[in-house]
Amino acid sequence: MESLTPGSEVRLAVVQSIRTLSTSSDQHEIIVALQTLNSFLDSSPLSHQEEFRQRHYTHTLQFLINNIKSDWLHTLTPTQRTQLWDCLFLQGPPEQALLVLMEGIGQLSPSSNLDHLLSIIETFLQSGRLTDLLWSYCLGTGPSDTPQFREALLGRVVALPDLMANKLQLNNKMLFLPQNYYPLLAQGMLTALERTCQALKRGSDCSLTFLAQTLGKVCIQGHSGLVMTVLAPHLSKHTRTDMVWQRVCCKLIENVPQRWIDSVLTQLVQSVTGPEALGRIIGNLVVSNKKAQFVMTHKMLLLQYKYETKALKVVLGYLAADRERRPLLLQVLRSICQAWANPSAVKHTPIEQQMYISKALLLSVTLLNDSELKELRSELLQCLLGGMQSHLDSSVVQIRRIGMVVGECLSARMDINGTKLKFEYDVDEDIQELLSLMTPTTEDDHKLDNATRMDSPDVCQEKTSSIASQNQPCSLKSNTNEDSDLDSDDELTPYDMSCDQKLSQSSPPRYLRDCLEILTTSDDAVRVELSLNVADSLILKNPFATKEISVQMTKVLLHIENKYNIDNFLALRQATMVALTVTDCIPVTQYLTSEFYNLNYSLRQRLDILEVLALAAQELSKPINNSPAEPSISVASTSDLTSGNPEHWTQVVEKRIQSKTKRLTKVISTLSTATIIMFWVIHSICFSGIYSTCKSFSKSLCHCCWTFFLPLLQNYDKLIHTLGLFMHLALNAPVAAQMGCALLDFVWTVRYHTEQTVRRGVLFAVCSVFLSMPSQNLLLELGDSFLKQELDVAERDADSDCRSLALQCLVHLDKGLKKQLQHPQALSLES
């Protein structure tokens, strides 16, 4: 038999492990499967590792996240979960792991499973995996990706704080905040650059394309300040004495895509220590790159004026520092002269921009040597005369002052025939700054050595560690006093552990969605019981999350069965459904009332619906401020009626019916359970609020009482038809007489209902009674008022069907009475 190829062997092992995790419930088999998958990351032959990383790693991680709700994951101990499950995300290719983790976080709702993935990605960032990702692309060992894959990966790396903020909102982690994440990313970029320099010195080739794309995308998205604050001091320090670092930095900036070079350069100019540092980092990029040249020579000097004077000194000093770049300084000076002397610009641009251009003009003139000054003498003289005229003609005092100061400085620098202009003006802060620009200063990097030293790699590593540890629990520090005597351990009083209980391996869920997922998918009896125990409290703690899944969870609870023989299962289930109804009243009530008359429901489920509605109604009908003198009806009393003692609550219902019903005869009614429950819940909903809120009625029940009442009431004509059918089918039953009396009692109260369908149902039920009730009971149970009512309906009812049914009732009654009169002995015996 031929041996399997490495690819076939790895594929077979991965498929078998995934099948085991999908179907097996044996913990030993699950651990072995996870160990097999982990072995392909570190302990297998290199060919097997390469095959697994390239072809099976992403699929394996996606399978693990899709099955994160499985019971077998929750049976693992924390140590096993860290070593077998989490390590699969932390030891493999970092780019694949990051994409799968971010996708999984986007799919999950707030739950313990989401918290688990968040803890993994926190460990991913804290353990330097982001640095490994960047370095793998620098070394060229990253995957042979497509443009789509590269764009997706860049988007996740750069926009991770935004994605986490959108997902977690107020529950965001400290590590995912921009002020913490982007310095961490910048430190990873520095480490990747340092490894690149070391690799180049060893003769290895490296690529800075992905690193440059990351830098450009971070800057264009508005986080350039956080990144450059870390990058710029280190790049300035390393490039001072190391030519390899200079080459690497220049290549990094060159590889930034053109659409992002603007934001990179502008922030770099503001972050470097001086023009010399900028020149070492970007080289002669301004000469070779037209976009960079436009940004440095036009946009930052003439179009924008938000930068500080330091940025102007850096840009102009950078242009003047090299022979190849110096022609651009002269070009810039000509453009600035034209802008400063333009009369239209003086009239229509803000004072801040004119001040900015004046600073640039004076700095540029200061950087000119004698030969260049002689070359530009005529242009500067024209600028001096025209610009001063435009500024002195202005009605704004500050603009006139700017013209005077610039005129004085230019005439002093040009030394026209030994004459210098001199004006009288008040010196404020802005004018003082303009005058100080004519004194040339050398920006030496050694002035900022202390600041650079403070940002050394060791210090930055400490800062990164402190950022990463903000989410970790603080360790307790013991204050020890060397002079004090330590107490002996024998004198310590031991804790009383006699009442300690063994902790369950499964912890109760902290999110309502977790409860729903466990109730619908889990086969673990312990997890199901824990979910039922905490569900009602979670519902009341977070009403907003409850309203998203209230109807769905009510449906699950209505159909769930006690297949694990959980103690107090019915009480826990009912309490949760009541909490759902109270929290999200209208949608849940509409669902329950609509399901009450649907098919395929057992009598137990219909009784559950009625009990939940009654309990929720009483809870909502509580007064806003309950006083001790006027206690409201509690839910506990209602639960006693519905679950504790059937004789007790049926007696209460019977008393309520007797007190509210006008009876034809003094016959003891024996109603069916369903009929009693129907009367009781309608009566409870209608009158519980009246009894408990004589002075202050609950606004919640006022808002939704019709939602409780009408859906149950709207189909009671069908209930009457159904009871009439039961009466007809009980023709030969011994209890037919009692059933007939009870049904006549029930329909008597709605005999004059305005809806014709209800009146038809009443007459149908009366016909069923006349056909099925023993004839010897008819004379005893019926009175004159009932016969008059039937005659009145037969003659005067507006509906023809009702009149016809009333006539049929009289015909059946007549037949029954005639039959009884033909057997008077039976009547006398019964009497």
Side-chain angles (χ1 to χ4, degrees):
M1 181 178 178
E2 296 183 0
S3 61
L4 295 175
T5 63
S8 301
E9 187 176 350
V10 171
R11 181 171 62 254
L12 182 62
V14 171
V15 171
Q16 185 175 0
S17 299
I18 290 178
R19 184 182 297 114
T20 300
L21 295 176
S22 302
T23 59
S24 178
S25 58
D26 184 79
Q27 189 173 12
H28 176 69
E29 294 181 354
I30 290 170
I31 292 176
V32 171
L34 291 174
Q35 290 174 343
T36 301
L37 294 175
N38 277 277
S39 66
F40 290 120
L41 294 176
D42 49 14
S43 60
S44 297
L46 292 178
S47 59
H48 289 184
Q49 294 184 31
E50 188 68 21
E51 175 70 17
F52 179 74
R53 290 168 181 266
Q54 290 184 358
R55 301 182 182 276
H56 304 287
Y57 183 67
T58 297
H59 175 69
T60 301
L61 296 189
Q62 290 174 342
F63 167 80
L64 293 177
I65 290 181
N66 292 335
N67 291 269
I68 196 173
K69 306 172 186 176
S70 301
D71 292 333
W72 59 262
L73 178 60
H74 297 274
T75 60
L76 299 176
T77 64
T79 303
Q80 291 174 337
R81 187 181 304 180
T82 301
Q83 295 177 350
L84 300 177
W85 205 90
D86 297 0
C87 277
L88 284 170
F89 293 88
L90 300 175
Q91 300 298 330
E95 67 283 345
Q96 299 181 48
L98 180 63
L99 288 176
V100 175
L101 282 171
M102 295 299 294
E103 181 182 5
I105 289 173
Q107 293 174 353
L108 291 178
S109 301
S111 60
S112 59
N113 299 325
L114 177 61
D115 293 341
H116 187 190
L117 290 188
L118 292 176
S119 66
I120 293 178
I121 203 168
E122 283 184 289
T123 307
F124 183 94
L125 298 176
Q126 294 166 355
S127 60
R129 297 295 289 159
L130 196 57
T131 303
D132 296 339
L133 188 155
L134 299 173
W135 169 236
S136 66
Y137 276 94
C138 293
L139 194 59
T141 58
S144 55
D145 55 3
T146 61
Q148 293 79 10
F149 181 88
R150 177 71 62 89
E151 189 65 28
L153 182 59
L154 281 173
R156 299 302 186 276
V157 171
V158 173
L160 187 144
D162 297 332
L163 297 174
M164 290 300 184
N166 290 336
K167 181 65 180 179
L168 304 179
Q169 297 181 3
L170 298 179
N171 298 320
N172 201 1
K173 305 288 186 181
M174 291 295 295
L175 186 59
F176 302 146
L177 298 179
Q179 60 268 28
N180 295 333
Y181 173 78
Y182 288 110
L184 187 68
L185 176 61
Q187 186 61 42
M189 296 172 68
L190 275 175
T191 305
L193 289 174
E194 185 174 0
R195 294 178 183 177
T196 300
C197 293
Q198 296 172 358
L200 292 176
K201 293 177 182 178
R202 293 193 302 266
S204 301
D205 293 333
C206 294
S207 173
L208 296 174
T209 303
F210 184 80
L211 207 59
Q213 291 173 347
T214 304
L215 176 61
K217 199 170 183 67
V218 169
C219 292
I220 197 64
Q221 290 190 358
H223 307 291
S224 56
L226 295 172
V227 174
M228 286 299 179
T229 302
V230 178
L231 282 179
H234 288 80
L235 298 183
S236 176
K237 174 186 175 182
H238 290 305
T239 56
R240 186 180 299 124
T241 56
D242 195 330
M243 296 300 297
V244 177
W245 265 99
Q246 291 185 20
R247 177 186 169 194
V248 167
C249 291
C250 293
K251 199 67 177 177
L252 175 68
I253 305 301
E254 287 177 7
N255 286 337
V256 174
Q258 291 294 302
R259 62 186 184 276
W260 298 333
I261 192 67
D262 183 356
S263 57
V264 174
L265 286 178
T266 53
Q267 188 58 50
L268 184 60
V269 166
Q270 300 175 75
S271 303
V272 293
T273 56
E276 294 83 2
L278 181 63
R280 296 194 302 266
I281 293 174
I282 69 174
N284 285 335
L285 179 68
V286 72
V287 177
S288 60
N289 191 309
K290 295 297 182 182
K291 181 65 176 293
Q293 183 180 125
F294 170 78
V295 173
M296 299 284 286
T297 63
H298 189 77
K299 186 174 182 179
M300 293 190 67
L301 299 176
L302 298 174
L303 299 183
Q304 296 177 343
Y305 54 95
K306 61 182 179 180
Y307 306 107
E308 298 179 355
T309 306
K310 175 190 172 184
L312 282 174
K313 293 180 179 180
V314 170
V315 172
L316 296 173
Y318 164 75
L319 295 177
D322 186 82
R323 182 176 58 185
E324 295 184 10
R325 302 192 296 262
R326 202 159 182 90
L328 295 176
L329 176 64
L330 304 182
Q331 176 185 333
V332 166
L333 181 55
R334 291 187 177 97
S335 300
I336 293 175
C337 287
Q338 293 177 3
W340 190 80
N342 190 338
S344 178
V346 173
K347 291 181 180 179
H348 300 98
T349 55
I351 298 178
E352 293 80 7
Q353 186 171 4
Q354 295 186 43
M355 185 70 180
Y356 186 82
I357 293 176
S358 300
K359 293 177 184 178
L361 176 58
L362 296 181
L363 287 171
S364 301
V365 172
T366 305
L367 294 170
L368 296 178
N369 54 37
D370 293 339
S371 60
E372 293 168 340
L373 190 61
K374 185 177 180 180
E375 178 184 350
L376 296 174
R377 188 180 184 88
S378 61
E379 297 178 13
L380 290 175
L381 182 59
Q382 184 179 358
C383 171
L384 175 63
L385 298 176
M388 284 186 59
Q389 181 69 32
S390 301
H391 282 78
L392 294 176
D393 289 343
S394 175
S395 59
V396 181
V397 175
Q398 189 68 9
I399 293 179
R400 293 200 299 270
R401 289 178 183 172
I402 291 174
M404 296 176 188
V405 173
V406 174
E408 286 183 357
C409 295
L410 286 180
S411 65
R413 184 70 178 89
M414 294 170 61
D415 192 16
I416 305 173
N417 298 325
T419 59
K420 298 180 181 179
L421 297 176
K422 187 63 178 177
F423 298 94
E424 293 184 0
Y425 47 80
D426 295 332
V427 179
D428 56 11
E429 184 178 351
D430 292 338
I431 300 303
Q432 185 64 41
E433 185 178 8
L434 284 176
L435 294 172
S436 65
L437 296 178
M438 294 305 294
T439 303
T441 56
T442 303
E443 295 290 341
D444 294 331
D445 292 341
H446 69 270
K447 295 180 180 179
L448 296 170
D449 276 349
N450 292 333
T452 304
R453 193 178 299 112
M454 289 300 294
D455 286 328
S456 63
D458 295 337
V459 177
C460 283
Q461 186 65 31
E462 294 177 2
K463 292 181 179 179
T464 304
S465 301
S466 64
I467 292 173
S469 63
Q470 288 184 15
N471 286 337
Q472 303 298 327
C474 298
S475 60
L476 297 177
K477 298 180 180 179
S478 60
N479 297 325
T480 59
N481 188 350
E482 297 179 356
D483 298 332
S484 63
D485 295 329
L486 296 176
D487 293 335
S488 173
D489 292 342
D490 296 337
E491 298 178 1
L492 299 177
T493 303
Y495 287 105
D496 183 10
M497 303 178 66
S498 60
C499 298
D500 285 5
Q501 297 179 356
K502 183 179 180 180
L503 295 177
S504 173
Q505 193 171 9
S506 299
S507 58
R510 295 179 296 169
Y511 298 92
L512 189 60
R513 285 188 180 273
D514 287 345
C515 293
L516 179 61
E517 291 173 359
I518 292 172
L519 294 177
T520 53
T521 62
S522 179
D523 294 327
D524 189 345
V526 176
R527 297 181 68 202
V528 173
E529 183 174 5
L530 289 173
S531 300
L532 288 174
N533 282 324
V534 301
D536 56 341
S537 61
L538 293 177
I539 291 169
L540 300 176
K541 287 180 181 178
N542 196 344
F544 296 102
T546 301
K547 292 180 180 180
E548 297 178 359
I549 59 172
S550 57
V551 176
Q552 183 182 0
M553 191 165 187
T554 304
K555 182 178 180 180
V556 171
L557 291 169
L558 184 61
H559 293 83
I560 195 173
E561 298 178 355
N562 189 14
K563 58 183 179 180
Y564 301 116
N565 196 22
I566 298 174
D567 295 337
N568 299 324
F569 173 80
L570 293 178
L572 295 173
R573 173 171 162 266
Q574 184 185 79
T576 305
M577 294 177 69
V578 171
L580 287 167
T581 309
V582 171
T583 303
D584 196 13
C585 181
I586 294 179
V588 177
T589 304
Q590 289 176 345
Y591 169 76
L592 290 175
T593 53
S594 63
E595 294 297 306
F596 180 78
Y597 290 103
N598 282 352
L599 302 177
N600 301 324
Y601 278 97
S602 64
L603 180 60
R604 174 70 260 175
Q605 288 174 311
R606 299 183 196 278
L607 291 176
D608 289 338
I609 293 175
L610 294 176
E611 291 172 2
V612 168
L613 291 174
L615 292 170
Q618 289 195 347
E619 185 70 21
L620 291 172
S621 67
K622 288 183 178 180
I624 299 174
N625 294 316
N626 288 333
S627 61
E630 298 176 350
S632 61
I633 298 176
S634 63
V635 177
S637 64
T638 308
S639 62
D640 291 340
L641 292 177
T642 58
S643 59
N645 185 359
E647 294 182 358
H648 172 65
W649 64 260
T650 51
Q651 292 175 2
V652 173
V653 172
E654 185 64 27
K655 291 179 181 179
R656 291 184 179 178
I657 296 175
Q658 291 177 3
S659 64
K660 299 294 181 180
T661 306
K662 180 179 181 181
R663 297 187 173 276
L664 295 174
T665 59
K666 297 182 179 180
V667 178
I668 300 177
S669 300
T670 307
L671 300 180
S672 64
T673 303
T675 308
I676 294 174
I677 288 290
M678 188 67 186
F679 262 104
W680 172 73
V681 71
I682 295 175
H683 188 275
S684 298
I685 295 173
C686 292
F687 295 103
S688 62
I690 298 176
Y691 292 154
S692 62
T693 57
C694 297
K695 294 185 179 180
S696 57
F697 195 72
S698 172
K699 294 182 180 179
S700 300
L701 189 59
C702 285
H703 179 63
C704 57
C705 58
W706 289 112
T707 310
F708 284 83
F709 186 81
L710 289 180
L712 291 175
L713 193 61
Q714 66 182 357
N715 289 327
Y716 80 94
D717 56 334
K718 297 181 182 179
L719 177 63
I720 294 175
H721 276 89
T722 305
L723 295 176
L725 181 62
F726 290 163
M727 185 69 227
H728 179 66
L729 296 175
L731 173 65
N732 299 317
V735 295
Q738 289 90 343
M739 290 177 62
C741 295
L743 184 57
L744 290 177
D745 265 350
F746 177 55
V747 301
W748 181 257
T749 57
V750 291
R751 63 190 185 279
Y752 293 121
H753 198 278
T754 56
E755 292 291 336
Q756 60 184 13
T757 56
V758 178
R759 299 199 304 275
R760 291 175 189 174
V762 171
L763 293 171
F764 173 76
V766 172
C767 285
S768 300
V769 171
F770 290 167
L771 288 173
S772 307
M773 192 172 178
S775 57
Q776 60 268 21
N777 294 95
L778 292 177
L779 289 174
L780 297 176
E781 301 299 334
L782 301 180
D784 293 340
S785 59
F786 189 86
L787 296 177
K788 291 180 182 179
Q789 186 266 339
E790 292 296 318
L791 292 172
D792 186 64
V793 172
E795 294 177 356
R796 302 180 182 179
D797 197 284
D799 183 58
S800 59
D801 292 337
C802 291
R803 294 196 300 270
S804 176
L805 286 172
L807 289 175
Q808 292 182 21
C809 290
L810 293 175
V811 170
H812 292 310
L813 178 61
D814 181 64
K815 290 181 180 179
L817 294 178
K818 287 181 179 180
K819 181 179 179 181
Q820 180 60 33
L821 292 175
Q822 291 175 1
H823 301 83
Q825 294 179 355
L827 178 62
S828 62
L829 290 175
E830 290 295 331
S831 303

